Amino acid sequence: MESAKLKLYVGADFVSAFAMSAFVALKEKQLPFELVTLDLKSRENYQADYRDLSLTCKIPTLIHQDFALSESSAITEYLEEIAPGHNKLLPQDIKQRARARQLQAWLRSDLLVIRKERPADLIYFGKKDTPLSDDALAAVDRLFFVADRLLEGGAEHLFGDWSIADTDLAIMLNRLVANGDQVPSRLAAYVRRQWDRDSVRAWMDIERAAPAIQ
């Protein structure tokens, strides 16, 4: 990769699962980057300068030279392309790589009810007292089925070696683990293993301000 400073735009609260995924990808690649924050509550991401940069007004956005890219899964694939000699973010086997992409897409497009009832904020700031709705419980059953199937035989990672899909799945599962919801013990252990990675620890070690009580 050409020597060029990378920038990653994330929300100033540091709670976005997608920002975390992009941050972990950069750390796993061991690429130096500057972290730039936006105050999403004051809608800084909708201001013209950021809109023109990101196109979609979303975080995270990666800047590489004069190129800007949003969407965490797209950022992962771009990093894999520009730094192929660094640690791999996706499986090398073509079928496993396709399966990892399938899982990433599913985690981002489905399970909205889990993300709504168990927002990523509670991983950092504490539990919600409300029980899961029937719709959320049904989504949790789907999540556990997929995780069990992909982690058959007590696998440490999804596809042999670690991939960014492990981080993405662990984030979704940890919404439940951190809240004290019932999670199968081996899936909870999987989350703890993923959370013990240096790249994830680096994200968790970022100082955060607890949201104001309404």
Side-chain angles (χ1 to χ4, degrees):
M1 186 185 77
E2 287 184 41
S3 178
K5 185 99 176 202
L6 295 162
K7 289 184 180 181
L8 184 68
Y9 283 81
V10 303
D13 55 4
F14 297 106
V15 299
S16 164
F18 306 121
M20 177 180 175
S21 182
F23 177 96
V24 166
L26 282 160
K27 286 291 187 180
E28 290 285 343
K29 279 290 188 185
Q30 298 182 353
L31 297 172
F33 65 98
E34 177 186 353
L35 201 56
V36 185
T37 59
L38 295 170
D39 186 345
L40 306 184
K41 290 184 175 62
S42 64
R43 298 175 64 84
E44 280 188 353
N45 53 312
Y46 288 100
Q47 293 180 4
D49 54 349
Y50 186 71
R51 177 203 62 202
D52 293 343
L53 193 67
S54 72
L55 298 181
T56 59
C57 299
K58 294 176 69 176
I59 56 100
T61 290
L62 179 75
I63 309 298
H64 177 220
Q65 298 174 332
D66 59 352
F67 178 65
L69 182 67
S70 298
E71 301 297 334
S72 57
S73 57
I75 289 170
T76 291
E77 296 202 22
Y78 181 71
L79 293 174
E80 200 80 314
E81 294 283 349
I82 65 172
H86 294 62
N87 297 333
K88 301 300 183 184
L89 299 175
L90 293 167
Q92 295 307 288
D93 177 79
I94 189 170
K95 291 181 179 178
Q96 289 187 333
R97 189 161 63 248
R99 186 70 75 200
R101 287 168 171 156
Q102 175 191 351
L103 177 62
Q104 287 183 293
W106 179 70
L107 289 169
R108 287 160 170 74
S109 63
D110 202 345
L111 311 178
L112 176 61
V113 66
I114 298 178
R115 296 202 300 271
K116 182 177 180 180
E117 296 187 23
R118 294 295 182 261
D121 305 46
L122 63 84
I123 294 173
Y124 311 99
F125 303 126
K127 301 180 180 181
K128 292 176 70 71
D129 294 328
T130 54
L132 291 166
S133 67
D134 289 344
D135 285 345
L137 288 171
V140 167
D141 283 344
R142 295 198 303 275
L143 174 62
F144 290 168
F145 172 80
V146 170
D148 277 328
R149 182 63 60 88
L150 293 176
L151 290 165
E152 282 181 335
E156 184 173 348
H157 303 300
L158 289 166
F159 306 108
D161 294 329
W162 176 90
S163 76
I164 195 65
D166 284 295
T167 297
D168 290 344
L169 177 59
I171 293 170
M172 183 60 75
L173 289 168
N174 206 15
R175 296 168 183 266
L176 303 165
V177 173
N179 193 63
D181 296 305
Q182 288 192 336
V183 175
S185 59
R186 77 184 195 94
L187 295 184
Y190 166 78
V191 169
R192 289 193 294 271
R193 285 196 304 273
Q194 299 306 321
W195 235 248
D196 202 38
R197 293 187 72 83
D198 289 344
S199 56
V200 174
R201 285 176 175 269
W203 174 260
M204 295 300 296
D205 285 345
I206 295 172
E207 186 174 349
R208 296 168 178 82
I213 298 174
Q214 299 297 318

